């Protein structure tokens, strides 16, 4: 009996020693003692085991709802993804996707992290070799995680737009994969804020709307007969009472850049300069009888060129994007039945500059060539209206410019093919589909999204007929813009304009991003627009 009791006490003692040793080891580790796991490889991200187990939320099933529709969507079996209390947006610190990640985290009201992606997270990755193109991306939903991969920050941002729209529509993203990229490189909105003033806040709301639709340009027409709407130090006398300050413009441009939108300024000349000429009457164009040609500047006067170039140079630093629009449309001198007799000073200047037989049309072409040259000196690609490009004559339009084609109505307007034959790429602003003209003057009617959705493509540049097969495409027709013109400024409030353009803008976004026929009817498309917010 004694030996049995002894053996029992011996066993108890051994167990006690083991317990004590274990406690010492645990205490030593918690106090900073050396173990292999206390010195992890600094190049490795923290293991998921060190993070709290996420609460996994299943996503929706079925189709992926976005506007515009993605290029390809391949659904898969699985739980999908939805944001939860443990969701984070993860991207490498300093990555080109940082801005998109920060914005997405704010929109989802979740945390940001630089590494350690796990289930329930959204991972944004920049891979220059991803093969997505400059604005494309891939998006994969698998194992309760979303991964967005792109070559550039712009592509990553557009991937987040797809995710946000799907969350708004369905609460999350279905299981599956997306490959997505735009058909046209220029996709945007033009705003005439010269005839009708729009506040900085209204413009910023439109920029958010453009970004959600994956549109990437905002064309600002801020000078016309009725107003000059941005502060100027070089010529303060021309600025209208209602105008944007340069600080406001800087904020607009900074917001646009964060949304991967390029702001394109336009100073239209040699017509549409009434507000500038009201303060500089000595530069107004006059007919032979001494009457004034409204809104037209005297292009035979060197002071006229100096004034416009002053403005181009002043505003270039304010708008650091790739383009400057120099106008060129609707110069009244070219509408006269006999321009040379009606404007003899222009006729004399044309022959002095370009030789015997040169005409007012040559002088107008030379004027736009000179303004385009100023834009190029400032590091910008010039854009011009198509009716500022004149056929024939001694002077030809200079190369390295893009043509914003809007009309077949005007005197001297030419078929889109003629510009392409001369090597000038087009941006489509087809007035039959893409012109929202306040008050509907001059036989304009408010465009409908349904007509754009069902009838129009980027290759329908004039009227309702597409360019011949092989003549359009992204290489020749770079894209399109929906245009707001404010001819009868009081016909609608800014709020009415915003609502009036909502569906047409969405339809144009669909047609410039996604090549080919969209899936679904117009009614189904409008429902999707409402669903994605």
């Amino acid at each position: 009996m004694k030996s049995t009791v002894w053996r029992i006490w011996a066993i108890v003692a051994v167990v006690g020693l083991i317990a004590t040793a274990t406690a010492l080891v645990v205490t030593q580790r918690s106090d900073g003692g050396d173990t292999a796991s206390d010195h992890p490889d600094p190049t490795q991200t923290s293991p998921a085991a060190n993070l709290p187990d996420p609460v996994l939320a299943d996503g929706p099933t079925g189709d992926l709802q976005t506007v515009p529709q993605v290029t390809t969507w391949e659904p898969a079996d699985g739980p999908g993804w939805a944001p939860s209390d443990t969701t984070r947006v993860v991207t490498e610190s300093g990555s080109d996707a940082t801005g998109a990640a920060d914005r997405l985290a704010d929109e989802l009201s979740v945390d940001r992290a630089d590494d350690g992606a796990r289930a329930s997270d959204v991972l944004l990755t920049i891979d220059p070799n991803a093969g997505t193109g400059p604005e494309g991306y891939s998006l994969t939903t698998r194992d309760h995680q979303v991964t967005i991969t792109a070559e550039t920050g712009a592509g990553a941002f557009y991937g987040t737009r797809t995710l946000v729209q799907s969350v708004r529509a369905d609460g999350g993203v279905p299981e599956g994969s997306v490959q997505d990229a735009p058909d046209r490189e220029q996709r945007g909105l033009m705003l005439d804020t010269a005839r009708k003033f729009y506040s900085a806040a209204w413009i910023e709301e439109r920029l958010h709307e453009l970004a959600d639709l994956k549109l990437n340009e905002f064309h600002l027409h801020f000078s016309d007969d009725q107003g000059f709407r941005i502060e100027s130090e070089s010529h303060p006398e021309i600025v209208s009472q209602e105008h944007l300050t340069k600080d406001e413009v800087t904020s607009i441009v900074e917001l646009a850049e964060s949304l991967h939108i390029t702001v394109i300024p336009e100073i239209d000349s040699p017509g549409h300069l009434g507000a500038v000429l009201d303060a500089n009457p000595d530069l107004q164009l006059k007919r032979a009888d001494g009457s004034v040609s409204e809104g037209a500047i005297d292009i035979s006067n060197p002071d006229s060129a100096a004034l416009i170039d002053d403005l181009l140079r002043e505003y270039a630093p304010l708008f650091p994007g790739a383009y400057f629009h120099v106008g060129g449309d609707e110069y009244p001198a070219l509408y006269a039945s006999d321009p040379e007799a009606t404007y003899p000073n222009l006729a004399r200047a044309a022959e002095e500059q370009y030789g015997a037989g040169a005409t007012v049309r040559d002088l107008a072409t030379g004027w736009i060539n000179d303004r385009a040259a100023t834009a190029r000196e400032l590091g910008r690609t010039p854009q011009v209206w198509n009716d500022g490009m004149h056929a024939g004559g001694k002077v030809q339009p200079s190369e390295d410019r893009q043509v914003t084609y809007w009309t077949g109505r005007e005197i001297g307007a030419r078929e889109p093919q003629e510009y392409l034959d001369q090597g000038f790429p087009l941006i489509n602003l087809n007035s039959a589909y893409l012109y929202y003209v306040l008050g509907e003057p001059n036989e304009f009617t408010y465009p409908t999204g349904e007509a754009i959705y069902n009838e129009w493509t980027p290759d329908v540049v004039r009227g309702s007929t597409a360019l011949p097969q092989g003549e359009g495409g992204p290489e020749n027709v770079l894209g399109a813009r929906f245009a707001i013109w404010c001819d009868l400024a009081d016909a609608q409030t800014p709020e009415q304009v915003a609502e009036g353009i909502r569906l047409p803008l969405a339809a144009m976004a669909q047609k410039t991003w996604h090549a080919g026929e969209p899936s679904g009817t117009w009614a189904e498309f409008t429902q999707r627009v409402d669903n994605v917010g």
Side-chain angles (χ1 to χ4, degrees):
M1 176 65 73
K2 289 183 178 179
S3 63
T4 301
V5 171
W6 176 255
R7 284 196 294 269
I8 292 172
W9 281 108
I11 292 170
V12 169
V14 170
V15 171
L17 288 171
I18 293 172
T20 302
T22 301
L24 288 171
V25 170
V26 171
T27 302
Q28 185 180 27
R29 288 181 179 177
S30 64
D31 291 340
D34 292 336
T35 69
S37 62
D38 288 328
H39 297 281
D41 184 346
T43 66
Q44 300 298 313
T45 59
S46 300
N50 289 343
L51 298 171
D53 291 336
V55 178
L56 303 180
D58 287 352
T61 58
D63 194 15
L64 180 70
Q65 293 199 66
T66 63
V67 176
Q69 292 170 298
V70 298
T71 307
T72 63
W73 159 243
E74 295 183 3
D77 293 331
W81 169 91
S84 67
D85 291 341
T86 57
T87 295
R88 303 169 307 158
V89 180
V90 180
T91 197
E92 183 181 353
S93 178
S95 161
D96 286 345
T98 299
D102 292 343
R103 184 176 296 278
L104 179 61
D106 287 342
E107 290 170 317
L108 297 178
S109 298
V110 301
D111 290 336
R112 270 274 290 112
D114 294 334
D115 55 28
R118 55 181 176 143
S120 85
D121 288 346
V122 180
L123 173 63
L124 273 58
T125 301
I126 297 296
D127 179 1
N129 300 312
T132 59
E135 292 183 294
Y137 65 93
S138 64
L139 181 152
T140 301
T141 310
R142 184 179 297 121
D143 299 330
H144 289 100
Q145 185 183 90
V146 178
T147 302
I148 296 171
T149 303
E151 293 180 17
T152 68
F157 175 72
Y158 292 134
T160 68
R161 298 308 87 200
T162 292
L163 182 145
V164 166
Q165 287 191 358
S166 187
V167 169
R168 289 176 187 158
D170 292 317
V173 184
E175 192 91 355
S177 61
V178 169
Q179 296 292 328
D180 202 17
D183 180 51
R184 307 293 164 134
E185 66 182 57
Q186 295 195 39
R187 312 173 304 279
L189 174 69
M190 194 225 78
L191 175 66
D192 168 18
T193 191
R195 294 178 176 91
K196 181 181 182 69
F197 177 70
Y198 292 86
S199 69
W202 191 92
I203 291 172
E204 289 176 354
E205 288 175 359
R206 301 289 75 70
L207 292 176
H208 285 289
E209 183 177 1
L210 298 184
D212 272 358
L213 293 170
K214 300 186 176 81
L215 300 174
N216 65 357
E217 290 182 340
F218 180 65
H219 174 173
L220 191 59
H221 179 95
F222 64 89
S223 170
D224 213 301
D225 295 339
Q226 295 80 0
F228 192 97
R229 302 294 185 181
I230 297 180
E231 174 187 1
S232 171
E233 282 94 28
S234 67
H235 293 279
E237 74 282 358
I238 69 177
V239 180
S240 301
Q241 183 175 359
E242 284 190 302
H243 65 271
L244 298 171
T245 67
K246 286 191 172 181
D247 285 344
E248 288 177 315
V249 173
T250 296
S251 295
I252 287 169
V253 171
E254 288 177 349
L255 173 62
E257 289 178 338
S258 75
L259 298 171
H260 299 276
I261 295 170
T262 298
V263 182
I264 302 172
E266 180 189 351
I267 298 177
D268 200 355
S269 76
H272 295 285
L273 284 168
V276 171
L277 295 172
D278 285 346
N280 294 274
D282 54 316
L283 300 180
Q284 288 179 323
L285 177 64
K286 295 181 179 179
R287 302 178 183 89
D289 62 7
S291 62
V292 171
S293 185
E294 296 296 334
I297 202 165
D298 183 356
I299 59 176
S300 69
N301 187 336
D303 291 340
S304 297
L307 170 61
I308 301 304
D309 284 350
D310 279 351
L311 295 172
L312 293 173
R313 292 189 174 98
E314 178 179 2
Y315 289 112
L318 198 61
F319 297 97
Y323 307 107
F324 211 126
H325 203 297
V326 297
D329 64 312
E330 298 180 325
Y331 188 47
L334 300 177
Y335 295 158
S337 58
D338 187 344
E340 286 67 41
T342 307
Y343 301 96
N345 60 320
L346 299 186
R348 286 193 297 272
E351 293 203 335
E352 289 171 2
Q353 290 189 45
Y354 302 114
T359 65
V360 173
R361 182 177 58 192
D362 292 311
L363 195 67
T365 298
W367 169 275
I368 292 297
N369 285 352
D370 290 344
R371 307 292 76 74
T374 300
R376 283 191 289 271
E377 289 170 8
L378 296 167
R380 309 296 191 271
T381 296
Q383 295 184 341
V384 303
W385 295 111
N386 66 291
D387 53 328
M389 301 268 287
H390 310 295
K394 296 174 68 71
V395 181
Q396 296 300 305
S398 56
E399 297 178 357
D400 190 22
R401 67 174 69 176
Q402 297 174 354
V403 178
T404 49
Y405 193 103
W406 72 278
T407 186
R409 297 182 175 197
E410 300 299 328
I411 296 172
R414 296 179 286 147
E415 292 288 341
Q417 188 64 51
E418 293 189 39
Y419 301 90
L420 296 177
D421 290 343
Q422 292 178 306
F424 296 109
L426 304 178
I427 298 100
N428 187 334
L429 284 94
N430 185 334
S431 61
Y433 290 94
L434 305 178
Y435 260 38
Y436 193 92
V437 185
L438 295 198
E440 301 182 304
N442 303 320
E443 300 181 357
F444 283 107
T445 58
Y446 292 127
T448 68
E450 185 172 8
I452 296 169
Y453 186 82
N454 289 327
E455 303 170 15
W456 178 85
T457 74
D459 291 344
V460 178
V461 180
R462 175 175 176 171
S464 58
T465 303
L467 288 163
Q469 187 173 5
E471 296 297 332
E475 298 78 18
N476 287 336
V477 183
L478 303 179
R481 288 181 206 140
F482 189 85
I484 303 169
W485 292 104
C486 301
D487 293 41
L488 301 178
D490 295 331
Q492 290 190 340
T493 66
E495 293 73 24
Q496 289 172 321
V497 172
E499 178 57 28
I501 69 171
R502 186 175 68 92
L503 290 176
L505 193 63
M508 190 207 71
Q510 169 70 35
K511 291 300 203 64
T512 52
W513 182 275
H514 192 293
E517 291 296 323
S519 62
T521 65
W522 169 245
E524 291 168 334
F525 180 78
T526 58
Q527 184 61 59
R528 192 183 311 120
V529 172
D530 291 340
N531 290 347
V532 303

